[in-house]
Amino acid sequence: MNIGSVHIDSKLCLAPMAGVTDIAFRSICRSLGAGYTISEMVSAKALCYQDKKSIPLLRLAEDEHPAAVQIFGSDPSCMEEAAAIAVEVSGAEIIDINMGCPVPKVANNGDGSGLLRDLDKACRVAEAVIRGAKNRPVTVKMRLGWDRSSLVCVELSKRLEALGVSALAVHGRTKVQMYSGVANWDLIREVKQAVSIPVIANGDVFSGQDAERILRYTGADMVMIGRGVFGNPWIFEQAKAALEGREIPPLPPLGERCDTAVRQFELAAQYKSEKIACLEARRHYAWYLKGVPHASYWKEKICHIETLEDVYRITAGIKRDLAPNEK
Ligand SMILES: Cc1cc2nc3c(=O)[nH]c(=O)nc-3n(C[C@H](O)[C@H](O)[C@H](O)COP(=O)(O)O)c2cc1C
């Protein structure tokens, strides 16, 4: 499939998730079959003010191409400048605009899903980003609308296509829903039928089978997986098998899963610092152990990880105590 002039040799996309899909986790997901990845969202204002904390969020791994970086904001001139900075700093092939974030601090400011309440502004923002991104394709990730009474996704999609946006990702929920209820795949299908540019379907894909189902149901060109990857980057291998009509492979044994987790934390330590990587590892490692019987002792230890040495010690303990019990 092509997004503008960029060829993507896969139907499997990792959702951008602030605080989760950092460069280390994206690398792990790519090594397990995610063909397209998008950075965590980065504030356009922060980029324009040269905020030192935001620049590292734009960094892509060497083997992470083609990829997109995502910016959020609602001031067209700031978004234009931020798009230019994002292209320059990241080397990403694609720039994505966030029109879905429901977090009050963002949405109530008119950014993220706030743009779904003002389609003229959303279009001005898209035009500005297209100018700023020079010749790189620009994509938009959106929700269905602000609330049930304003399901604007089809109308907005047609307008964005007409402006030159190259692809759309649609999360099948409204802003007001946040993450509650069930994602509405019917409206994603309506968007797909309304435009000719590629559509990426997103919402409630928690297994390889779900990935196959959402693509079949919506007719979308690509599936984007979010929360289903928490502690489970193997979902991409499983989705690939489902799409190819092969038997879905089981998760690797616990010991191997722990090795992957450790690799992720080591990568994160290289890119950030050992301290930050280890604080963030607490949440990820607990996800990796979700559903593992008798893991509560080790999960408690994980809450106190501070160094990679802690990670190695805990991992050895898990392998010794829990891996042999695995059926
Ligand atoms: C912790 C978290 C952080 C997120 N951060 C972003 C973000 O930075 N940009 C964005 O477009 N969407 C963000 N999302 C939304 C996801 O990309 C995705 O649209 C949503 O989780 C629905 O997909 P899922 O049902 O597969 O999880 C975030 C979601 C979560 C759970």
Side-chain angles (χ1 to χ4, degrees):
M1 156 187 122
N2 277 11
I3 294 184
S5 53
V6 178
H7 181 66
I8 298 172
D9 190 19
S10 167
K11 284 180 184 288
L12 303 175
C13 166
L14 171 65
M17 289 187 283
V20 179
T21 57
D22 62 358
I23 184 171
F25 189 59
R26 296 198 308 270
S27 290
I28 296 290
C29 289
R30 282 195 91 115
S31 72
L32 292 167
Y36 179 49
T37 43
I38 304 165
S39 75
E40 302 166 79
M41 65 179 191
V42 183
S43 156
K45 260 198 199 128
L47 289 180
C48 293
Y49 292 130
Q50 302 187 330
D51 171 51
K52 288 206 173 59
K53 285 204 201 106
S54 298
I55 295 287
L57 294 172
L58 294 171
R59 182 160 179 191
L60 301 176
E62 248 166 52
D63 54 357
E64 191 185 1
H65 292 280
V69 289
Q70 187 188 69
I71 56 174
F72 74 93
S74 53
D75 174 58
S77 66
C78 175
M79 286 292 272
E80 178 173 348
E81 190 183 337
I85 297 170
V87 165
E88 172 92 20
V89 172
S90 69
E93 285 79 1
I94 294 167
I95 299 292
D96 186 56
I97 308 172
N98 182 318
M99 296 196 188
C101 180
V103 172
K105 209 171 65 180
V106 173
N108 293 339
N109 203 23
D111 304 343
S113 61
L115 286 169
L116 301 175
R117 285 169 124 174
D118 186 344
L119 301 196
D120 291 340
K121 192 172 214 185
C123 289
R124 285 199 301 278
V125 164
E127 285 172 322
V129 172
I130 289 171
R131 279 194 303 275
K134 303 287 182 311
N135 294 319
R136 314 263 161 155
V138 170
T139 59
V140 170
K141 179 165 177 284
M142 66 174 78
R143 285 184 175 236
L144 303 179
W146 182 268
D147 61 18
R148 261 191 323 181
S149 66
S150 62
L151 300 171
V152 296
C153 56
V154 173
E155 183 192 344
L156 178 60
S157 296
K158 287 199 230 168
R159 290 181 63 175
L160 293 172
E161 177 179 36
L163 294 176
V165 165
S166 296
L168 302 161
V170 185
H171 173 195
R173 285 190 175 80
T174 62
K175 181 273 175 199
V176 165
Q177 270 183 297
M178 301 292 283
Y179 292 91
S180 68
V182 179
N184 178 338
W185 292 356
D186 291 298
L187 273 168
I188 302 177
R189 179 167 56 192
E190 281 186 37
V191 170
K192 172 62 194 168
Q193 286 167 354
V195 297
S196 314
I197 50 177
V199 171
I200 305 174
N202 170 236
D204 294 351
V205 171
F206 291 105
S207 66
Q209 289 94 334
D210 289 344
E212 192 278 330
R213 246 173 8 94
I214 198 172
L215 284 174
R216 188 157 34 87
Y217 193 89
T218 61
D221 303 272
M222 210 185 242
V223 50
M224 173 183 276
I225 309 179
R227 292 162 299 163
V229 302
F230 289 2
N232 183 17
W234 298 276
I235 195 170
F236 290 106
E237 286 184 344
Q238 295 177 325
K240 188 156 185 280
L243 295 188
E244 290 170 0
R246 285 184 286 116
E247 199 182 318
I248 297 196
L251 286 183
L254 179 61
E256 223 176 281
R257 302 206 298 277
C258 289
D259 290 340
T260 299
V262 171
R263 204 164 78 240
Q264 179 189 332
F265 308 148
E266 286 172 340
L267 272 176
Q270 275 171 33
Y271 285 119
K272 305 181 184 185
S273 66
E274 179 169 351
K275 189 167 168 210
I276 292 176
C278 287
L279 288 178
E280 293 176 351
R282 295 175 181 181
R283 190 155 59 131
H284 282 274
Y285 214 158
W287 285 332
Y288 275 100
L289 293 185
K290 207 167 52 192
V292 173
H294 313 298
S296 50
Y297 173 83
W298 290 110
K299 280 188 181 157
E300 204 278 325
K301 297 276 173 231
I302 281 167
C303 294
H304 300 100
I305 288 175
E306 283 184 353
T307 61
L308 282 176
E309 268 319 307
D310 294 340
V311 169
Y312 299 141
R313 200 165 19 79
I314 289 168
T315 303
I318 293 171
K319 286 186 177 177
R320 185 190 62 226
D321 294 352
L322 304 181
N325 303 334
E326 229 189 8
K327 294 209 186 68

